[in-house]
C-alpha cells in the first residue's frame, strides 16, 4: 500500500508560571510554518514553496492550464493524489489525463463509480465487493449479490454511473488502522474486504477512499472527483471465482479517455474478442477505426473517438 500523509501535529508548550510568556507561547503555536522546501519538476526546474503546499497548488502555480488538467502527482516515485501535501524537498511529476498514469487513475476511479452504482441500484447491504482492478483494456469489479446480473442490466448501471459522475463527488483518501478497517467492513458485513485486510502484512498502511455515500478499501490513487470521468462503456458480465466461491464479474469496461466529448456508442462495433482466464473480453472500436486487433488489445480507448 502506498504511504499516506499524516496530520501535522504540534508539541504543546511547557507550563509556565509567567502568564505573559504562556500567552506568547500559545500565540507562536498558531503561527503557520514558514519552512521552505525545494521541488524539482520535470525538466530539472527547481522551485521553492512553503512546506505544506499540495500537489494541486504546485500545478496551479506553474500555469492555470496545468492546474486545471492536473489529476495527481508522482512524488519521489510514489503515486499520490492531487491533495497530497509536500512537507520536504522532493521530485514531483504532475500527472494529467493524457498520460499512461492518468489513464490508469481514470479507469481505477471509474471502477469505484461502477461499484457505487451497483450498491445504489441493488442495495448497499446486498452488494458485497471483491476487487475492482484496472486491466490492460479497461476495468472491472468482482461483486457478490443475489440478483443474477446480465447484459440487459448494463444500461441501467451505466445510467446510475453517469448520475454519480454528474454529481461530481470529491474523492478523498483517509488512512485507517487495521482495527478500524476491520470494524468498518465488519459493520457492513463484507467478507471479501475482511479477507483482504486480514491477508495484508501487519505493518501495511490501510486507506479508504470516500466519494459521496460510497467508500472502499483502496490504496489509490484516484481522480480528484467523479466529475473528471467523461466517457466509458460497460461491455459484459461474466462469472468469476473468489477462492472457490462463485461470484459475478461486472463488468469488463472500456474507457474513451481521449475523447473530449462522449463518443457516439451507436457507431461502435465489436471487432475482436479474446478469451482471458475464462472471460470473454469484447473489444469495441469505432466503425472508421483502422487499428489492428493487436493494437486494440494494447489500448482500445485510443479507438473510441467521438
Amino acid at each position: 500500500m502506498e504511504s499516506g500523509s499524516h496530520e501535522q501535529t504540534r508539541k504543546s508548550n511547557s507550563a509556565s508560571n509567567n502568564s505573559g510568556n504562556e500567552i506568547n507561547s500559545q500565540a507562536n503555536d498558531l503561527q503557520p510554518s514558514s519552512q521552505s522546501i525545494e521541488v524539482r519538476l520535470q525538466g530539472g526546474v527547481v522551485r521553492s514553496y512553503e512546506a505544506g503546499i499540495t500537489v494541486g497548488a504546485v500545478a496551479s502555480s506553474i500555469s492555470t492550464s496545468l492546474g486545471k488538467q492536473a489529476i495527481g502527482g508522482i512524488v519521489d516515485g510514489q503515486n499520490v493524489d492531487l491533495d497530497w501535501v509536500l512537507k520536504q524537498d522532493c521530485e514531483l511529476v504532475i500527472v494529467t489525463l493524457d498520460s499512461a498514469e492518468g489513464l490508469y487513475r481514470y479507469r481505477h476511479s471509474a471502477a469505484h463509480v461502477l461499484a457505487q452504482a451497483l450498491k445504489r441500484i441493488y442495495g448497499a447491504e446486498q452488494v458485497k465487493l471483491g476487487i475492482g482492478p484496472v486491466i490492460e483494456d479497461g476495468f472491472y469489479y468482482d461483486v457478490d449479490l443475489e440478483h443474477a446480473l446480465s447484459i440487459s442490466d448494463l444500461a441501467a448501471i451505466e445510467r446510475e454511473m453517469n448520475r454519480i459522475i454528474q454529481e461530481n463527488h470529491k474523492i478523498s483518501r483517509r488512512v485507517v488502522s487495521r482495527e478500524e478497517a476491520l470494524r468498518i467492513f465488519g459493520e457492513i458485513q463484507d467478507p471479501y474486504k475482511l479477507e483482504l485486510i486480514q491477508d495484508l502484512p501487519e505493518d501495511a498502511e490501510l486507506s479508504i477512499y470516500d466519494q459521496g455515500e460510497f467508500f472502499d478499501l483502496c490504496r489509490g490513487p484516484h481522480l480528484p472527483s467523479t466529475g473528471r470521468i467523461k466517457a466509458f462503456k460497460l461491455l459484459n458480465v461474466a462469472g468469476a471465482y473468489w477462492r472457490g466461491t462463485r461470484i459475478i464479474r461486472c463488468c469488463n469496461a472500456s474507457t474513451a479517455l481521449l475523447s473530449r466529448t462522449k463518443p457516439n456508442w451507436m457507431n461502435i462495433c465489436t471487432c475482436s474478442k479474446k478469451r482471458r482466464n475464462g472471460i470473454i473480453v469484447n473489444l469495441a472500436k469505432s466503425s472508421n477505426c483502422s487499428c489492428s486487433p493487436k493494437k486494440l488489445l494494447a489500448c482500445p480507448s485510443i479507438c473510441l473517438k467521438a
Side-chain angles (χ1 to χ4, degrees):
M1 306 283 283
E2 283 144 285
S3 58
S5 60
H6 299 283
E7 292 186 4
Q8 185 178 9
T9 59
R10 294 188 176 95
K11 294 183 178 179
S12 60
N13 292 299
S14 301
S16 172
N17 291 329
N18 188 315
S19 60
N21 289 340
E22 183 175 355
I23 293 174
N24 290 334
S25 176
Q26 292 173 349
N28 288 335
D29 279 348
L30 298 176
Q31 295 299 316
S33 170
S34 59
Q35 177 187 354
S36 179
I37 62 172
E38 291 190 342
V39 178
R40 182 177 296 276
L41 303 167
Q42 287 176 285
V45 177
V46 177
R47 291 195 177 200
S48 295
Y49 296 96
E50 186 174 314
I53 191 170
T54 64
V55 170
V58 171
S60 296
S61 75
I62 297 172
S63 73
T64 302
S65 175
L66 184 59
K68 293 179 179 180
Q69 295 174 20
I71 61 166
I74 303 174
V75 179
D76 291 334
Q78 178 184 351
N79 294 311
V80 300
D81 296 302
L82 194 63
D83 58 1
W84 181 270
V85 175
L86 305 178
K87 299 181 180 180
Q88 57 190 17
D89 296 349
C90 63
E91 290 189 1
L92 171 63
V93 176
I94 303 297
V95 176
T96 56
L97 283 177
D98 58 355
S99 65
E101 176 62 24
L103 174 61
Y104 180 92
R105 299 186 190 200
Y106 185 101
R107 288 171 166 169
H108 193 180
S109 296
H112 276 219
V113 171
L114 168 59
Q116 183 175 9
L118 290 170
K119 280 182 170 284
R120 283 189 177 185
I121 295 172
Y122 301 106
E125 296 181 355
Q126 302 301 318
V127 178
K128 309 304 179 184
L129 300 176
I131 57 173
V134 174
I135 53 179
E136 65 178 348
D137 51 5
F139 60 92
Y140 67 82
Y141 219 115
D142 286 341
V143 298
D144 185 0
L145 72 166
E146 291 185 5
H147 175 75
L149 286 173
S150 67
I151 293 294
S152 62
D153 295 311
L154 297 187
I157 297 171
E158 285 181 355
R159 285 194 296 272
E160 191 59 43
M161 289 179 68
N162 279 313
R163 186 174 293 111
I164 293 168
I165 291 169
Q166 292 170 4
E167 291 168 0
N168 195 24
H169 295 292
K170 176 179 173 56
I171 303 176
S172 57
R173 181 178 188 264
R174 54 184 163 120
V175 176
V176 296
S177 66
R178 177 180 292 269
E179 292 72 22
E180 187 176 3
L182 289 171
R183 176 186 61 78
I184 290 171
F185 290 98
E187 287 177 351
I188 63 174
Q189 299 179 354
D190 195 321
Y192 307 109
K193 295 299 181 183
L194 292 174
E195 281 189 40
L196 290 172
I197 295 168
Q198 292 165 349
D199 286 348
L200 290 171
E202 287 294 331
D203 59 349
E205 181 176 77
L206 303 177
S207 58
I208 289 175
Y209 275 82
D210 298 283
Q211 57 189 54
E213 81 286 355
F214 176 78
F215 61 89
D216 198 6
L217 180 74
C218 184
R219 67 180 180 180
H222 281 277
L223 299 179
S225 68
T226 60
R228 300 297 287 269
I229 299 171
K230 299 304 179 184
F232 66 92
K233 184 66 179 177
L234 302 183
L235 299 178
N236 60 29
V237 180
Y241 286 88
W242 181 281
R243 300 175 182 179
T245 301
R246 183 174 174 80
I247 58 177
I248 299 298
R249 177 155 292 180
C250 177
C251 314
N252 182 70
S254 183
T255 52
L257 176 60
L258 301 185
S259 174
R260 293 186 180 276
T261 58
K262 291 189 177 181
N264 183 358
W265 297 109
M266 296 300 292
N267 294 331
I268 292 176
C269 63
T270 299
C271 64
S272 177
K273 291 184 179 181
K274 178 182 179 182
R275 181 175 293 275
R276 185 192 300 108
N277 298 328
I279 302 169
I280 292 293
V281 178
N282 295 314
L283 302 175
K285 72 174 185 178
S286 58
S287 55
N288 61 352
C289 173
S290 60
C291 291
S292 66
K294 182 177 180 180
K295 183 176 180 181
L296 195 63
L297 281 169
C299 185
S301 64
I302 62 176
C303 299
L304 300 178
K305 298 177 181 178

